[in-house]
Amino acid sequence: MKEIDVFRQWNRKRHEYATAWQKRTGGKVMGYFCTYVPEEILHAAGVLPVRVLGSHEPQNVTEPHIFAMFCPFCRDCLAQGLKGRYKYLDGLMIAQSCLHIRQAYTSWIKHVPVGFSYYLCMPHKVQSRRAYPYLRGELEAFRKAVEGWTGKQISDKALREAIAVYNENRRLMRELYDTRKQAEPPVSGEEVMEISLAQQMVDKREHNEALRKLLAALPRRKRDRPAGTRLMIIGSEDDDIDFLHMVESLNKEQYPATFVVDEHCTGSRYFWNDVPEDKDALMALSRRYIERPPCPTKDWEERKRIPHIMKLARDFGAQGAIVMQQKFCDPHELDTVAIRKELEKQGIKTLFLEFDVTVPIGQFRIRVEAFLETLKQEDLF
Amino acid sequence: MADKKGRYPTEPLKCWDMAKKIREDYYRDYAAAHEKGGLRWAGGAWTFDAIPAGLGDDVFPITSEPYGASCAYDKQFSLRCLEAAEKAGYARDLCAYMRNYWGSILLNQYAFGGPFPKPDFLWQDHICCSHAKWYQVVSELEHGVPHFSIDVSVGPESEINDNKLEYVVGQMHDGIEFLEKTTGRKYDDKLLIRAVKNTCRSTSTWARVCELNKTVPAPLDEKSMYSLYVLGTLQKSSQAVADFYEELLKEVQDRVKRGIAATPNERCRVMSDTQPPWGFLSVFRYLERFGTVSIGSLYTFGLIGAWEVDGNGEWVHRKTPMETGRSINDRDKALRVLAEWELHKPEWQHFYSPHLKSEMMIRIARQWKLDGVMLHYNRGCEGLSLGIAENRLALLKAGFPVMVFEGNMGDEREFDMTRTMARIDAFMETLGMKREFQ
Amino acid sequence: MAVITAGIDMGAKTIKVVLLEDGQKVRARAMELGGTDTRAAGERAFNAALFQAGLRMAEVAHVTATGAGRASAPFAKDSVTEVGAGARGAIFLHPAARTVIDVGAEEGKTLRCDGRGKVIDFAVNEKCAAGAGSFMESMARALEVKLEELGPLALKSGNTIPMNAQCAVFAESEVVTLVHQKHTKEDIAKAVHDAIADRITSMVRKVGFENDVVLIGGVSKNPAFVETMRRNLQTAVNVLPDPEYVGALGAAIVAAENAGVK
């Protein structure tokens, strides 16, 4: 469908998009590593934030820089930098989250220098009341640094406009997700992944426009296969379109299945909550990033991810959950046991998979088919 | 002075038994705390242990990393712990200390005998992704033991400002409220102040001990240092540990004065990095066959030691607030001093950039007169192995030969002794060192 | 009178012996499978080399051992590590060599050395055999071809199938999947070579390479592997003659030095 193809094109031609944007607007492009980066400040400064993702190709350039015990995603990301695929970046930044991805950032700025780099000390204890004024202070420092870099003041007005654009984007995405609550969702999980990945790479105004068109067209859309088993996918960074494609194109008589919701930082965690109303724009941002669905690195002492996941499962009618993570991802490994336990307790069966740079489609297909079979048997008895 | 055969005099450390006793008392006191109406708490080796000290002198901690290492030292027990953690669903590539510790809880076996003594509360800090999560799981395994962790990930020492300090100190104040609420005890600021002073004293003195290892021949070798620095990881805020380090300092000063060497045939000086594979400390003894001594590491120096750079660019022990005349007379001041002091911890700096760690390592390599470096690519600890490949590149660039060996501090299944020895042989060959005995 | 010295390389799979005259001229070479009694195999290899050269054991002035099993080498007076021996042997055969890549049955190694064969830095592939010869053997088995056919087969393919060989066991099941997906044997063979060469290249990059780059060890006899390495490193890659004997040769050179041959 052409309203979805536009997202797919953005995603597939991410570098072409960014260089064309740069040329067209004369603005700067900032590569970023973690979705805790307060993009609104960049947007307000006329900067395009672009999330750095891997390319899913085997590579041999990161071994001198990152010890192999760290996740394949951080190595794949660094490889993109070392291979010069992001040469057009004017700046590169990270918001503090896991140790793995941090290495992609620190090695990149050392060996592939960029004009501006920034490490934002995003707090980990988001459950502490002390995190609010602290993050506000860090955001203020960041705003000043961006002003110094671009040579332009970021006015409160610009910040509020950026917040409005971003909140609009979040609202439209939630609206898209709402359509997946239908008995026969008009979009597949694979398609939604294309849309949410594009969301992290393109100008939000353009993304909003495309989303509006898509949402207008969706009521007339009917997919050519039954929704079948309603699946949820939960876990770490995941841009493995091939995997979702495989699951959603299994034999439709025998194993029909559709992903109806996700809990990924490349998906719903990224946009789920809005920036709240607050006279102080920076405090509003601070509240938004502190209160968003947390990355496991920040989900302590209480586990707040779990009630959020359970609510998603209920709201979207998930019948089974695929719990995935990047291989060697310690933060997710520290959540997985508790998450699976709670899901199973609520009658939602889970399948656990570890993702690497390339997905062993054959091995995973066998496991997913077996999983779907067990879910069907549940229905029978 | 070396004799005609080039051998230095050597002798065992006199305060060895005292170190051993402090460690034994520590694990026993923790286990026995309830017998006399005292309290038990658990937290990491990096936690602000001075703060719970304000609850009274009958409050005893157990720190998890040294406990995990103690498990690892007993290979049979460790394997059972690791398997118990795996059976409960925890991934094999998680922190090996953590898995040993959880396994010990799951088996309900204390490494020092008897059932695992359940803590009354959990008191942790958080800079590595596993720190607070470790105790989140402990709390679950122990059916809801109250847990408080302090986030200290506010950036490297050079960037500390009021905003960052306020965040940490604010959490400390909240932490004291948590302690009072959880234990029902009244908090005593005088005890806190004493514990903060002890913390500064322990860590500054330990750095002074490490400084003495700049001497050729080195008065201490790394294998012995492991048994000494560990006291700081147990309870750096305790009077006994602070006093012990002062005794140790005197003894090591005396060794330097008399030219006592740790390794009598010292010809070659190296350092290591990250925690060693605890079940295989014989690796360090193996070096002696080549006349090689490991004089320590950023890990042994900087995990407990407090350091600063002096006017000549030398890395020296950090002067305590007592020495610089800073007053610590109320709760807020004590917490502020403690936060500032710990935020300068060398082993916290590399979390923000491996390049900061490389600088410190190169500084050690130069000032401690090293011939080479052995990096333990430690699969058991992502926090300390963070950026280690970049450290290797930087050390090589600075002109220091580097050997790497892969292993795991607490999971012996991931360490290959034979291959590591073979690697050491090749490294010694490249440094021009010949084996002096089998 | 000529001084004869010997190097014996007690490898993970095979044992190699080289006899050297005056530290200059190779007099004989022999190889035996290690089997379970490596010491006996070492003796057999030694006897075979002596027989070829028409020499007796008593005429050998000095024996130096190398290889993972060097502690159990027969006749050896001393030893040198595989890293040291590889560098010496490579420099002897190719004086301009500065980077030596050694891929044997169970391990891959890379070293950088100076013109005298002094090692500056080295790296060894960790743990998994996914970057070594025994991996090629299991892949050949999975594809049902002979080991020596695997390389020429791969050279016939012009396609790239991404394969992730972080682990030999998983790689084998990836190959099985590819077979089921009806990829040609040629393409799969190439994918296997790409995967191994990627692992070795990663290690080479870790040490950093300087020209000339030379390849030693049994796996360098595989033309597809050599071709992939050349492509990955974007530089000329020289395969030394009789690459599996370079370690033993290096040990024989060290033996000559230790025997006082000038």
Side-chain angles (χ1 to χ4, degrees), chain B residues 28 41 66 73 95 129 134 139 192 199 311 332 387 400:
Chain B
R28 202 187 34 250
W41 65 269
Y73 197 75
C95 166
C129 295
W134 179 330
S139 176
L192 166 72
T199 298
D332 187 64
F400 295 96

Side-chain angles (χ1 to χ4, degrees), chain B residues 19 22-24 26-27 41 44-45 49 61-63 66-67 70 229-238 241 304:
Chain B
I22 293 175
R23 183 169 171 270
E24 282 166 5
Y26 174 87
Y27 286 113
W41 65 269
D49 59 316
I62 184 171
T63 50
Y67 181 78
S70 299
Y229 94 105
V230 72
L231 301 182
T233 69
L234 298 178
Q235 202 176 5
K236 52 198 174 298
S237 68
S238 84
V241 172
I304 289 307

